Amino acid sequence: MTIREKLEEREHAILSPYAAFSDRSAGRDVEEEPCDLRPVYQRDRDRILHAKSFRRLKGKTQVFLAPEGDHYRTRLTHTLEVSQNARTIAKALRLNEDLTEAIALGHDLGHTPFGHAGERELNRICPEGFHHQEQSVRVVELLEKNGRGLNLTKEVRDGIRHHSTAGSPSTMEGKIVRLCDKIAYVNSDIDDAIRGKIIKEEDIPKKYKEILGFTLRERLNTLIHDVISHSMEQNDIIMSPEKSEALQGLRKFMFDSVYINSAAKAEEGKAQYMIGQLYDYYVRHVEELPEEFLGMIHTTGASIERTVCDFIAGMTDRYAVMTYEGLAIPRTWSVL
């Protein structure tokens, strides 16, 4: 018996009957020889961790565009916070931690530079539309490894596709990530907004703090305990109505105070303009796309517009600015 088979056997001994068992996965689109060490979801987690798109998350905006300071969240640190919270819940509920972590690490791989501002602009200008959760699936199915993709299991891809608020994941592990994404971004964005002096702790409505806690640590602790206690031995991931309403209230407060028309968003118009200019340029000069993207137009039949979106969505904030400057800003020269 291989180590992988022993690990799969152990899953059946210790995990909840509601867990997604590795040896019962619906599989991959392209069948592969099983690993002798790792069950399928652990293997998927490792593939995501080593992907180029995962490494680029460190250079992508979470909420604050080009902040001055080293302690603001990036898309990468947000992803790691989602993963940590999700694994805590999965472990307590005896669900599959490997599947949970794989979904969490992969859920934002398709996010654009400049956060949701970039996403909104690509969705506005691309005839086929653009949504980061679908782009994250496109990254792992096609764009990674020069068009070969990562060949992940169906359960991981399902969790990535359905991680947004309106999504409906098919596994308990996917439901955990869907909820932890909201828990993480609402609370960490409050922390960053306070650090950036956009809001003060006392601006947060007292009624929500009395329910969830008066610090980041207290709020996370309250919410995670609430999810675990109400989901125990249930075939669903749920929260108490009181805590759920308080979380929704905090989210609305953040939209009203930070996400829309705050000082933190002052540069978003410039970022969206830049994204639009890059899109227009590469649609008109498709031959200047990197070779790997040109190759996918011919091998997959993807439209020029979709391929340009793929290229731009994969950029970090810094690379997008550098590319735009190279196209739009004249360079000085000298005969010396």
Side-chain angles (χ1 to χ4, degrees), residues 33 39 110 114 116 122 174 231 268 307 310 312:
E33 195 69 31
F114 311 115
H116 288 285
L122 285 183
S231 304
E268 280 193 351
T307 305
D310 290 337
I312 294 173

Side-chain angles (χ1 to χ4, degrees), residues 311-322:
F311 177 48
I312 294 173
M315 293 178 175
T316 61
D317 298 6
R318 180 187 59 82
Y319 185 76
V321 171
M322 183 178 69

